[in-house]
Coordinates of all heavy atoms in Angstrom, one line a residue:
M697 N 91.1 71.2 130.1 CA 90.7 69.9 129.5 C 91.6 68.8 129.9 O 92.8 69.0 129.8 CB 90.8 70.1 127.9 CG 90.4 68.7 127.2 SD 90.8 68.7 125.5 CE 90.1 70.2 124.8
T698 N 91.1 67.7 130.4 CA 92.1 66.6 130.7 C 92.6 66.0 129.3 O 92.1 66.1 128.4 CB 91.2 65.5 131.4 OG1 90.2 65.0 130.5 CG2 90.7 65.9 132.8
I699 N 93.9 65.4 129.7 CA 94.7 64.9 128.7 C 95.0 63.4 129.0 O 95.4 63.2 130.2 CB 95.9 65.6 128.4 CG1 95.5 67.0 127.8 CG2 96.8 64.8 127.3 CD1 96.7 67.9 127.7
G700 N 94.7 62.5 128.1 CA 95.0 61.0 128.4 C 96.2 60.7 127.6 O 96.4 61.2 126.5
V701 N 97.0 59.7 128.1 CA 98.1 59.3 127.4 C 98.0 57.7 127.5 O 97.9 57.3 128.6 CB 99.5 59.9 128.0 CG1 100.7 59.3 127.3 CG2 99.5 61.3 127.9
I702 N 98.3 57.1 126.4 CA 98.5 55.6 126.5 C 99.9 55.3 125.8 O 100.2 55.6 124.6 CB 97.5 54.8 125.7 CG1 96.1 55.1 126.2 CG2 97.7 53.4 125.6 CD1 94.9 54.5 125.5
A703 N 100.8 54.8 126.7 CA 102.2 54.6 126.2 C 102.4 52.9 126.1 O 102.2 52.4 127.1 CB 103.2 55.1 127.1
T704 N 102.7 52.5 124.9 CA 102.9 51.1 124.7 C 104.3 50.8 124.8 O 105.2 51.5 123.9 CB 102.3 50.6 123.3 OG1 100.8 50.9 123.4 CG2 102.4 49.1 123.2
L705 N 104.8 49.8 125.7 CA 106.2 49.6 125.8 C 106.4 48.2 125.7 O 105.8 47.3 126.2 CB 106.6 49.9 127.2 CG 106.2 51.5 127.7 CD1 106.2 51.6 129.2 CD2 107.2 52.4 127.1
K706 N 107.3 47.8 124.8 CA 107.8 46.5 124.5 C 108.9 46.2 125.3 O 110.0 46.9 125.1 CB 108.0 46.2 123.0 CG 106.8 46.6 122.1 CD 105.9 45.5 121.8 CE 104.9 45.9 120.8 NZ 103.8 45.0 120.6
V707 N 109.0 45.2 126.1 CA 110.2 44.8 126.9 C 110.8 43.7 126.4 O 110.2 42.7 125.9 CB 109.6 44.6 128.4 CG1 110.8 44.2 129.3 CG2 108.9 45.8 128.9
Q708 N 112.3 43.6 126.4 CA 113.0 42.6 126.1 C 112.6 41.3 126.9 O 112.3 41.3 128.0 CB 114.6 42.8 126.3 CG 115.1 44.0 125.6 CD 116.6 44.4 126.0 OE1 117.3 43.5 126.4 NE2 116.8 45.7 125.9
E709 N 112.8 40.1 126.2 CA 112.6 38.8 126.7 C 113.3 38.7 128.1 O 114.5 39.0 128.0 CB 112.9 37.7 125.7 CG 112.4 36.3 126.3 CD 110.9 36.1 126.2 OE1 110.3 36.6 125.2 OE2 110.4 35.6 127.1
G710 N 112.6 38.3 129.2 CA 113.2 38.2 130.4 C 113.4 39.3 131.3 O 113.8 39.2 132.4
K711 N 113.1 40.5 130.7 CA 113.4 41.8 131.5 C 112.2 42.2 132.1 O 112.3 43.4 132.7 CB 114.0 42.8 130.5 CG 115.3 42.4 129.8 CD 116.5 42.6 130.8 CE 117.8 42.5 130.1 NZ 118.9 42.9 130.9
G712 N 111.0 41.6 132.0 CA 109.7 42.1 132.7 C 109.9 42.5 134.1 O 109.5 43.6 134.5
P713 N 110.4 41.6 135.0 CA 110.5 41.9 136.4 C 111.5 43.2 136.7 O 111.0 44.1 137.4 CB 111.1 40.6 137.1 CG 110.7 39.5 136.1 CD 110.8 40.2 134.8
E714 N 112.5 43.3 135.9 CA 113.3 44.5 136.1 C 112.6 45.8 135.5 O 112.6 46.8 136.3 CB 114.7 44.3 135.3 CG 115.7 45.4 135.4 CD 116.9 45.3 134.6 OE1 117.1 44.0 134.1 OE2 117.7 46.1 134.5
F715 N 111.9 45.7 134.4 CA 111.1 46.8 134.0 C 110.1 47.2 135.1 O 109.8 48.4 135.3 CB 110.4 46.4 132.7 CG 109.3 47.4 132.2 CD1 109.8 48.6 131.7 CD2 108.0 47.1 132.4 CE1 108.7 49.6 131.4 CE2 107.0 48.0 132.0 CZ 107.4 49.2 131.5
E716 N 109.4 46.2 135.5 CA 108.3 46.6 136.5 C 108.9 47.2 137.8 O 108.2 48.2 138.3 CB 107.5 45.2 136.9 CG 106.7 44.7 135.8 CD 106.0 43.4 136.1 OE1 105.9 42.9 137.2 OE2 105.6 42.6 135.0
A717 N 110.0 46.7 138.2 CA 110.6 47.5 139.4 C 111.0 48.9 139.1 O 110.8 49.8 140.0 CB 111.9 46.6 139.8
I718 N 111.6 49.2 137.9 CA 112.1 50.5 137.5 C 110.7 51.3 137.5 O 110.7 52.6 137.9 CB 112.8 50.6 136.2 CG1 114.0 49.8 136.3 CG2 112.9 52.0 135.7 CD1 114.7 49.5 135.0
F719 N 109.6 50.8 136.8 CA 108.5 51.6 136.6 C 107.8 51.9 137.9 O 107.2 53.0 138.2 CB 107.4 50.9 135.6 CG 106.3 51.8 135.3 CD1 106.5 52.7 134.2 CD2 105.2 51.9 136.0 CE1 105.6 53.6 133.8 CE2 104.3 52.8 135.7 CZ 104.3 53.6 134.6
T720 N 107.8 50.9 138.8 CA 107.1 51.1 140.2 C 107.7 52.3 141.0 O 107.0 53.1 141.6 CB 107.2 49.8 141.0 OG1 106.5 48.8 140.2 CG2 106.6 49.9 142.4
E721 N 109.0 52.4 140.9 CA 109.7 53.5 141.6 C 109.4 54.8 140.9 O 109.1 55.8 141.5 CB 111.2 53.3 141.5 CG 111.8 52.4 142.5 CD 111.3 52.7 144.0 OE1 111.5 53.9 144.3 OE2 110.8 51.9 144.7
L722 N 109.3 54.9 139.5 CA 108.9 56.1 138.8 C 107.5 56.4 139.2 O 107.1 57.7 139.3 CB 109.0 55.8 137.2 CG 108.4 57.0 136.4 CD1 109.3 58.3 136.7 CD2 108.6 56.6 135.0
A723 N 106.5 55.5 139.2 CA 105.2 55.7 139.5 C 105.0 56.3 141.0 O 104.3 57.2 141.1 CB 104.4 54.5 139.4
K724 N 105.9 55.8 141.8 CA 105.8 56.5 143.3 C 106.1 58.0 143.3 O 105.5 58.7 143.9 CB 106.8 55.7 144.1 CG 106.2 54.3 144.6 CD 107.4 53.7 145.5 CE 106.9 52.2 145.7 NZ 108.0 51.5 146.6
Q725 N 107.1 58.3 142.4 CA 107.7 59.7 142.3 C 106.5 60.5 141.7 O 106.3 61.7 142.1 CB 108.9 59.7 141.5 CG 110.0 59.2 142.2 CD 110.5 60.0 143.5 OE1 110.5 61.3 143.4 NE2 110.8 59.3 144.5
V726 N 106.0 60.0 140.6 CA 104.9 60.7 140.0 C 103.7 61.0 140.9 O 103.1 62.1 141.0 CB 104.4 60.0 138.6 CG1 103.0 60.6 138.1 CG2 105.4 59.9 137.6
R727 N 103.2 60.0 141.5 CA 102.0 60.1 142.5 C 102.5 61.0 143.6 O 101.5 61.8 144.1 CB 101.6 58.8 143.0 CG 101.1 57.9 141.9 CD 100.5 56.6 142.3 NE 100.0 55.7 141.2 CZ 100.6 54.7 140.9 NH1 101.5 54.2 141.7 NH2 100.1 53.9 139.8
A728 N 103.6 61.1 144.1 CA 104.0 61.9 145.1 C 104.3 63.4 144.9 O 104.1 64.3 145.7 CB 105.3 61.2 145.9
N729 N 104.6 63.7 143.6 CA 105.1 65.0 143.2 C 104.2 65.7 142.2 O 104.6 66.8 141.9 CB 106.5 64.8 142.8 CG 107.5 64.4 143.9 OD1 107.6 65.1 144.9 ND2 108.0 63.3 143.8
E730 N 103.3 65.0 141.7 CA 102.5 65.7 140.5 C 101.1 65.8 140.7 O 100.3 64.8 140.4 CB 102.9 64.9 139.2 CG 104.2 64.9 138.9 CD 104.6 64.2 137.5 OE1 103.7 64.1 136.7 OE2 105.7 63.5 137.5
P731 N 100.5 66.8 141.4 CA 99.1 66.9 141.7 C 98.3 66.9 140.4 O 97.0 66.6 140.5 CB 99.0 68.2 142.5 CG 100.3 68.9 142.3 CD 101.4 67.9 142.1
G732 N 98.9 67.3 139.3 CA 98.1 67.5 138.1 C 97.9 66.0 137.5 O 97.3 66.0 136.4
N733 N 98.6 65.0 137.9 CA 98.5 63.7 137.3 C 97.3 63.0 138.1 O 97.4 62.8 139.3 CB 99.8 62.9 137.6 CG 99.6 61.4 137.2 OD1 99.3 60.6 138.0 ND2 99.8 61.2 136.0
L734 N 96.4 62.6 137.4 CA 95.1 62.0 137.9 C 95.2 60.4 138.0 O 94.6 59.8 138.7 CB 93.9 62.5 137.2 CG 93.7 64.1 137.1 CD1 92.6 64.4 136.1 CD2 93.7 64.8 138.4
A735 N 96.0 59.9 137.0 CA 96.3 58.4 136.9 C 97.5 58.1 136.3 O 97.9 58.9 135.4 CB 95.0 57.8 136.2
Y736 N 98.2 57.1 136.8 CA 99.4 56.6 136.3 C 99.5 55.2 136.6 O 100.0 54.7 137.6 CB 100.6 57.4 136.9 CG 101.9 57.5 136.1 CD1 102.0 58.2 134.9 CD2 103.0 56.7 136.5 CE1 103.1 58.2 134.2 CE2 104.2 56.8 135.8 CZ 104.3 57.5 134.7 OH 105.4 57.6 133.9
Q737 N 99.0 54.4 135.6 CA 98.9 53.0 135.9 C 99.5 52.1 134.9 O 99.2 52.3 133.7 CB 97.3 52.6 136.0 CG 97.1 51.0 136.3 CD 97.5 50.6 137.6 OE1 97.1 51.3 138.6 NE2 98.2 49.7 137.6
L738 N 100.4 51.3 135.3 CA 101.0 50.2 134.4 C 100.2 49.0 134.3 O 99.7 48.5 135.3 CB 102.4 49.9 135.1 CG 103.1 48.9 134.2 CD1 103.6 49.4 132.9 CD2 104.4 48.3 135.0
T739 N 100.0 48.5 133.1 CA 99.1 47.4 132.8 C 100.0 46.5 131.9 O 100.9 46.9 131.2 CB 97.8 47.7 132.1 OG1 98.1 48.4 130.8 CG2 97.0 48.7 133.0
K740 N 99.6 45.2 131.9 CA 100.5 44.3 131.1 C 99.4 43.5 130.2 O 98.3 43.1 130.7 CB 101.1 43.2 132.1 CG 102.1 42.3 131.2 CD 102.8 41.3 132.2 CE 103.7 40.4 131.5 NZ 104.4 39.6 132.5
S741 N 99.8 43.4 129.0 CA 99.0 42.7 128.0 C 98.6 41.2 128.4 O 99.6 40.5 128.8 CB 99.5 42.7 126.6 OG 98.9 41.9 125.6
R742 N 97.5 40.7 128.2 CA 97.2 39.4 128.5 C 97.5 38.6 127.4 O 97.6 37.3 127.5 CB 95.5 39.2 128.7 CG 95.2 39.9 130.0 CD 93.6 39.6 130.1 NE 93.2 40.1 131.4 CZ 92.0 39.9 132.0 NH1 91.1 39.3 131.2 NH2 91.6 40.4 133.1
T743 N 97.7 39.0 126.1 CA 98.0 38.3 124.9 C 99.3 38.4 124.4 O 99.9 37.5 123.7 CB 97.0 38.7 123.8 OG1 97.1 40.0 123.5 CG2 95.5 38.4 124.1
E744 N 100.1 39.5 124.8 CA 101.5 39.6 124.5 C 102.3 39.9 125.6 O 102.4 40.9 126.3 CB 101.6 40.9 123.5 CG 100.8 40.7 122.2 CD 100.9 42.1 121.4 OE1 102.0 42.6 121.2 OE2 99.9 42.5 120.9
P745 N 103.0 38.7 126.0 CA 103.7 38.8 127.5 C 104.7 39.9 127.6 O 104.9 40.2 128.9 CB 104.3 37.3 127.5 CG 103.9 36.6 126.3 CD 103.2 37.6 125.4
N746 N 105.3 40.4 126.6 CA 106.4 41.5 126.8 C 105.9 42.7 126.5 O 106.7 43.7 126.3 CB 107.6 41.1 126.0 CG 108.3 39.8 126.4 OD1 108.4 39.5 127.6 ND2 108.7 39.0 125.5
T747 N 104.5 43.0 126.4 CA 104.0 44.3 126.1 C 103.2 44.8 127.4 O 102.4 44.1 127.9 CB 103.0 44.2 124.9 OG1 103.7 43.7 123.8 CG2 102.4 45.5 124.5
Y748 N 103.5 46.0 127.6 CA 103.0 46.8 128.7 C 102.3 48.0 128.2 O 102.8 48.6 127.2 CB 104.0 47.3 129.8 CG 104.6 46.0 130.5 CD1 105.6 45.3 129.9 CD2 104.2 45.7 131.8 CE1 106.3 44.2 130.6 CE2 104.7 44.6 132.4 CZ 105.7 43.9 132.0 OH 106.2 42.8 132.6
K749 N 101.3 48.6 128.8 CA 100.8 49.9 128.5 C 100.6 50.8 129.7 O 100.1 50.2 130.8 CB 99.3 49.6 127.8 CG 99.5 49.1 126.5 CD 98.2 49.2 125.7 CE 98.4 48.3 124.4 NZ 98.1 49.0 123.2
V750 N 101.0 51.9 129.7 CA 100.9 52.8 130.8 C 99.7 53.6 130.4 O 99.7 54.4 129.4 CB 102.2 53.8 131.0 CG1 102.1 54.7 132.2 CG2 103.4 52.8 131.0
L751 N 98.7 53.8 131.3 CA 97.5 54.6 131.2 C 97.7 55.7 132.1 O 97.8 55.7 133.4 CB 96.3 53.8 131.7 CG 96.3 52.4 131.0 CD1 95.0 51.6 131.5 CD2 96.1 52.4 129.5
E752 N 97.8 57.0 131.5 CA 98.0 58.3 132.1 C 96.8 59.2 131.9 O 96.3 59.2 130.9 CB 99.3 58.8 131.7 CG 100.5 57.9 131.8 CD 101.7 58.5 131.1 OE1 102.1 59.7 131.4 OE2 102.4 57.8 130.2
L753 N 96.6 60.0 133.0 CA 95.5 61.0 132.8 C 96.2 62.3 133.5 O 96.6 62.2 134.7 CB 94.2 60.6 133.4 CG 93.1 61.4 133.2 CD1 92.7 61.5 131.6 CD2 91.8 60.8 133.9
Y754 N 96.0 63.4 132.8 CA 96.5 64.6 133.4 C 95.3 65.7 133.4 O 94.5 65.7 132.6 CB 97.7 65.2 132.7 CG 98.9 64.2 132.8 CD1 99.0 63.2 131.8 CD2 99.8 64.3 133.7 CE1 100.1 62.3 131.8 CE2 100.9 63.5 133.8 CZ 100.9 62.5 132.8 OH 102.1 61.6 132.9
K755 N 95.3 66.7 134.4 CA 94.2 67.6 134.4 C 94.4 68.5 133.3 O 93.3 69.1 132.9 CB 94.2 68.2 135.8 CG 95.2 69.3 136.1 CD 95.0 70.0 137.3 CE 95.8 71.1 137.6 NZ 95.6 71.9 138.8
D756 N 95.6 68.9 132.7 CA 95.7 69.8 131.7 C 97.1 69.6 131.1 O 97.8 68.9 131.5 CB 95.5 71.2 132.1 CG 96.5 71.5 133.4 OD1 97.5 70.9 133.5 OD2 96.0 72.5 134.2
Q757 N 97.3 70.3 130.0 CA 98.6 70.3 129.2 C 99.9 70.6 130.1 O 100.8 70.1 130.0 CB 98.6 71.2 128.0 CG 99.8 71.2 127.1 CD 100.2 69.8 126.6 OE1 99.3 69.2 126.0 NE2 101.4 69.3 126.8
E758 N 99.6 71.7 130.9 CA 100.7 72.1 131.9 C 101.0 71.0 132.7 O 102.3 70.7 133.0 CB 100.2 73.3 132.7 CG 101.3 73.9 133.6 CD 100.7 75.1 134.4 OE1 99.7 75.5 134.2 OE2 101.6 75.5 135.2
S759 N 100.2 70.2 133.2 CA 100.5 69.0 134.1 C 101.3 68.0 133.3 O 102.1 67.3 133.9 CB 99.2 68.4 134.7 OG 98.5 69.4 135.5
L760 N 100.9 67.7 132.1 CA 101.6 66.8 131.2 C 103.0 67.3 130.9 O 103.9 66.5 131.0 CB 100.8 66.5 129.9 CG 101.5 65.7 128.8 CD1 101.8 64.3 129.3 CD2 100.7 65.5 127.6
T761 N 103.2 68.6 130.6 CA 104.4 69.1 130.3 C 105.4 69.0 131.5 O 106.6 68.7 131.4 CB 104.4 70.5 129.8 OG1 103.4 70.6 128.6 CG2 105.7 71.2 129.5
L762 N 104.8 69.3 132.7 CA 105.6 69.2 133.9 C 106.1 67.8 134.2 O 107.3 67.5 134.5 CB 104.7 69.7 135.1 CG 105.4 69.3 136.5 CD1 106.3 70.5 136.8 CD2 104.3 69.3 137.5
H763 N 105.3 66.8 133.9 CA 105.7 65.4 134.1 C 106.9 65.1 133.3 O 107.8 64.5 133.8 CB 104.5 64.6 133.6 CG 104.9 63.1 133.5 ND1 105.2 62.3 134.6 CD2 105.0 62.2 132.4 CE1 105.5 61.0 134.2 NE2 105.3 61.0 132.9
G764 N 106.9 65.5 132.1 CA 108.0 65.2 131.1 C 109.3 65.9 131.4 O 110.3 65.4 131.1
G765 N 109.3 66.9 132.3 CA 110.3 67.8 132.6 C 110.9 67.4 134.0 O 112.0 68.0 134.3
T766 N 110.4 66.5 134.6 CA 110.9 66.2 136.0 C 112.2 65.4 135.9 O 112.5 64.7 135.0 CB 109.9 65.4 136.8 OG1 109.7 64.2 136.2 CG2 108.6 66.2 137.0
D767 N 113.0 65.7 137.0 CA 114.4 65.0 137.0 C 114.1 63.5 137.1 O 114.9 62.7 136.5 CB 115.1 65.6 138.3 CG 115.6 66.9 138.0 OD1 115.6 67.4 136.9 OD2 115.9 67.6 139.1
Y768 N 113.2 63.1 137.9 CA 113.0 61.5 138.1 C 112.5 61.0 136.8 O 112.9 59.7 136.4 CB 112.1 61.2 139.3 CG 110.8 62.0 139.3 CD1 109.7 61.5 138.6 CD2 110.7 63.1 140.1 CE1 108.6 62.2 138.7 CE2 109.5 63.9 140.1 CZ 108.3 63.3 139.4 OH 107.2 64.0 139.5
F769 N 111.7 61.6 135.9 CA 111.3 61.1 134.7 C 112.5 61.0 133.7 O 112.7 60.0 133.1 CB 110.2 61.9 134.1 CG 109.6 61.4 132.8 CD1 108.7 60.3 132.8 CD2 110.0 61.8 131.7 CE1 108.3 59.7 131.6 CE2 109.6 61.3 130.4 CZ 108.6 60.3 130.4
K770 N 113.3 62.1 133.7 CA 114.6 62.1 132.8 C 115.4 61.0 133.3 O 116.1 60.2 132.4 CB 115.2 63.4 132.9 CG 114.3 64.5 132.1 CD 115.1 65.8 132.3 CE 114.2 66.9 131.7 NZ 114.8 68.4 131.9
A771 N 115.6 60.9 134.5 CA 116.5 59.7 135.1 C 116.1 58.4 134.8 O 116.9 57.5 134.6 CB 116.6 59.9 136.6
A772 N 114.8 58.1 134.8 CA 114.3 56.8 134.4 C 114.5 56.4 133.0 O 114.6 55.2 132.7 CB 112.6 56.8 134.7
G773 N 114.7 57.3 132.1 CA 114.9 57.0 130.7 C 116.0 56.1 130.4 O 115.7 55.0 129.8
P774 N 117.3 56.3 130.8 CA 118.4 55.4 130.5 C 118.1 54.0 131.3 O 118.3 53.1 130.6 CB 119.5 56.1 131.1 CG 119.2 57.5 131.2 CD 117.7 57.5 131.5
K775 N 117.4 54.0 132.3 CA 117.3 52.7 133.1 C 116.2 51.9 132.1 O 116.4 50.7 132.0 CB 116.6 52.9 134.4 CG 117.6 53.6 135.4 CD 116.9 53.8 136.7 CE 117.6 54.8 137.5 NZ 116.9 55.1 138.8
L776 N 115.1 52.6 131.7 CA 114.1 51.9 130.9 C 114.7 51.5 129.6 O 114.3 50.5 129.2 CB 112.9 52.8 130.8 CG 112.1 53.1 132.0 CD1 111.1 54.2 131.7 CD2 111.4 51.8 132.4
G777 N 115.6 52.4 129.1 CA 116.2 52.0 127.8 C 117.0 50.7 127.8 O 117.1 50.0 126.8
G778 N 117.5 50.3 128.9 CA 118.2 49.0 129.1 C 117.4 47.8 129.0 O 117.8 46.7 128.9
V779 N 116.1 48.0 129.2 CA 115.2 46.8 129.3 C 114.1 46.8 128.2 O 113.5 45.8 128.0 CB 114.4 46.7 130.7 CG1 115.5 46.4 131.8 CG2 113.7 47.9 131.0
L780 N 113.9 47.9 127.5 CA 113.0 48.0 126.5 C 113.5 47.4 125.2 O 114.7 47.4 124.9 CB 112.6 49.5 126.2 CG 111.8 50.2 127.3 CD1 111.5 51.6 126.9 CD2 110.4 49.4 127.6
G781 N 112.5 46.9 124.3 CA 112.9 46.3 123.1 C 112.5 47.1 121.9 O 112.2 46.8 120.8
G782 N 112.6 48.4 122.1 CA 112.3 49.4 121.0 C 111.8 50.7 121.7 O 111.6 50.8 122.9
R783 N 111.5 51.8 120.8 CA 110.9 53.0 121.3 C 109.5 52.8 121.7 O 108.9 52.1 121.1 CB 111.1 54.0 120.3 CG 112.5 54.4 119.8 CD 112.6 55.5 118.9 NE 111.8 56.7 119.3 CZ 112.5 57.6 120.1 NH1 113.7 57.4 120.6 NH2 111.9 58.7 120.5
P784 N 109.1 53.5 122.8 CA 107.8 53.5 123.1 C 106.9 54.0 122.1 O 107.3 54.9 121.4 CB 107.7 54.3 124.5 CG 109.2 54.4 125.0 CD 110.0 54.2 123.8
E785 N 105.5 53.5 122.1 CA 104.6 54.2 121.2 C 103.7 54.9 122.1 O 103.1 54.4 123.0 CB 103.8 53.1 120.4 CG 104.6 52.3 119.4 CD 103.7 51.2 118.8 OE1 102.5 51.4 118.8 OE2 104.3 50.2 118.3
V786 N 103.5 56.2 121.8 CA 102.8 57.1 122.7 C 101.5 57.8 121.9 O 101.8 58.4 120.9 CB 103.7 58.2 123.3 CG1 102.8 59.1 124.3 CG2 104.9 57.6 124.0
E787 N 100.4 57.5 122.4 CA 99.2 58.2 121.9 C 98.7 59.2 123.0 O 98.5 58.9 124.0 CB 98.2 57.1 121.6 CG 96.9 57.7 121.1 CD 95.9 56.6 120.7 OE1 95.9 55.4 121.0 OE2 94.9 56.9 120.1
Y788 N 98.3 60.4 122.4 CA 97.8 61.4 123.2 C 96.2 61.6 122.9 O 95.8 61.6 121.9 CB 98.4 62.8 123.1 CG 99.9 62.7 123.4 CD1 100.8 62.5 122.5 CD2 100.2 62.9 124.7 CE1 102.2 62.4 122.9 CE2 101.6 62.8 125.0 CZ 102.6 62.6 124.1 OH 103.9 62.5 124.5
L789 N 95.4 61.8 124.0 CA 94.0 61.8 123.9 C 93.5 63.1 124.5 O 93.9 63.3 125.6 CB 93.4 60.6 124.5 CG 94.0 59.3 124.0 CD1 93.8 58.2 125.1 CD2 93.3 58.7 122.7
D790 N 92.5 63.7 124.0 CA 91.8 64.8 124.7 C 90.5 64.2 125.3 O 89.7 63.5 124.8 CB 91.4 65.8 123.6 CG 92.6 66.5 123.2 OD1 93.6 66.7 123.8 OD2 92.6 66.9 121.9
G791 N 90.5 64.7 126.8 CA 89.2 64.2 127.4 C 88.0 64.9 126.9 O 88.0 66.1 126.4
I792 N 86.9 64.3 127.0 CA 85.5 64.8 126.6 C 84.7 65.0 127.8 O 84.5 64.1 128.6 CB 84.8 63.8 125.6 CG1 85.6 63.4 124.5 CG2 83.5 64.3 125.2 CD1 86.1 64.5 123.6
G793 N 84.1 66.2 128.0 CA 83.1 66.3 129.1 C 83.7 66.9 130.3 O 84.9 67.1 130.5

């Protein structure tokens, strides 16, 4: 069963470009090394300038677990922590069909 993830990330004022650069590097690693990741897309709110959402799709729970355990994901944590304005809000979704 596919698993969807929506992560809402609030970024500190003026830190958007730095956040986007860090995330772009992370996304390259995810796409290159995780065949079970079907989508990993950063989006930016049209109404809240410092709010981003990551839209993720994994083929199964094993693929999602692998993603969270990778060295590059763990290494991105402290970098992202320096630009975020709070803890991410993460919602997990089960695919239908």
Side-chain angles (χ1 to χ4, degrees):
M697 171 193 316
T698 56
I699 297 173
V701 179
I702 299 174
T704 302
L705 307 161
K706 306 270 187 186
V707 177
Q708 296 172 31
E709 188 69 42
K711 298 279 189 175
E714 186 179 348
F715 167 75
E716 291 174 20
I718 295 166
F719 190 89
T720 298
E721 280 306 307
L722 174 60
K724 285 180 188 174
Q725 293 291 320
V726 170
R727 291 184 185 116
N729 297 296
E730 297 180 37
N733 173 266
L734 307 175
Y736 200 72
Q737 179 66 53
L738 180 65
T739 64
K740 185 175 181 180
S741 173
R742 290 183 175 186
T743 57
E744 298 176 47
N746 294 318
T747 299
Y748 293 81
K749 293 194 184 223
V750 185
L751 311 177
E752 306 173 44
L753 191 62
Y754 297 89
K755 74 175 190 176
D756 53 26
Q757 181 61 48
E758 183 179 352
S759 300
L760 174 57
T761 302
L762 172 77
H763 169 70
T766 60
D767 289 341
Y768 50 84
F769 184 79
K770 291 177 184 175
K775 294 178 194 172
L776 291 170
V779 296
L780 292 179
R783 293 184 60 80
E785 293 175 26
V786 182
E787 181 179 5
Y788 297 94
L789 308 150
D790 291 328
I792 305 297

